[in-house]
Amino acid sequence: MEAMKKELIQELAPVLDYIEKHYTEKILISELCDIIHVCDDKMTRLFKKQLGITPTEYIIQMRIARSMELLKTTSLPLEEIAIMSGFASNSYMTRCFKQKVNITPGKYREESMRRKEKIMKEFFSKKRIVSLLLALLMLVSVVPQAAISPVIAS
């Protein structure tokens, strides 16, 4: 059984590699079939058996993952993110995104920004800055002045 599983993984490896490199482009199932010389039905069965999803669902997951990354790290318009992630349109990205993530891309971006702001506020809170300054003062008062002077001079 284990040998059969490894064989399936090896059989799909070139297809998964191709998808990883080309998910931002239009990918036809027939293209994937040509890579490992199987028919559409066999390709779908291999994906279902190995990954639990169809090739199309796998490609969509890759695109959603990319769009999530772009939503969190850029302020690009949704239309641009859709295209950069391999979706044909913003509306198709939104439909797929909502189906898989349960919120719209815009809402996901808002929530990501809120989380980021909260983390920054916590990190740079007055309480934290005061405690860091106190720790620094304690360090300075414990470390002999002779040990600090060369560090300050450089």
Side-chain angles (χ1 to χ4, degrees), residues 111-126:
E111 289 181 9
S112 294
M113 295 302 275
R114 268 199 291 271
R115 279 193 298 274
K116 197 183 291 185
E117 286 173 8
K118 183 180 176 191
I119 290 168
M120 294 302 283
K121 281 181 182 175
E122 287 173 5
F123 184 78
F124 291 110
S125 70
K126 287 180 183 177

Side-chain angles (χ1 to χ4, degrees), residues 90-103:
N90 180 28
S91 61
Y92 183 56
M93 176 183 75
T94 299
R95 189 172 43 225
C96 292
F97 199 98
K98 188 159 173 53
Q99 188 177 34
K100 298 289 182 193
V101 187
N102 294 321
I103 57 174

Side-chain angles (χ1 to χ4, degrees), residues 23-67:
Y23 70 90
T24 60
E25 305 164 18
K26 183 175 182 163
I27 299 175
L28 301 174
I29 301 303
S30 60
E31 291 175 274
L32 303 178
C33 293
D34 290 345
I35 294 169
I36 58 171
H37 312 291
V38 297
C39 67
D40 290 12
D41 291 340
K42 173 82 173 185
M43 178 66 69
T44 300
R45 280 195 307 276
L46 284 171
F47 262 80
K48 281 282 212 179
K49 188 170 188 171
Q50 194 56 42
L51 303 173
I53 56 176
T54 67
T56 302
E57 290 169 325
Y58 183 78
I59 293 166
I60 289 171
Q61 283 185 358
M62 295 285 292
R63 291 173 176 168
I64 288 173
R66 176 67 175 150
S67 64

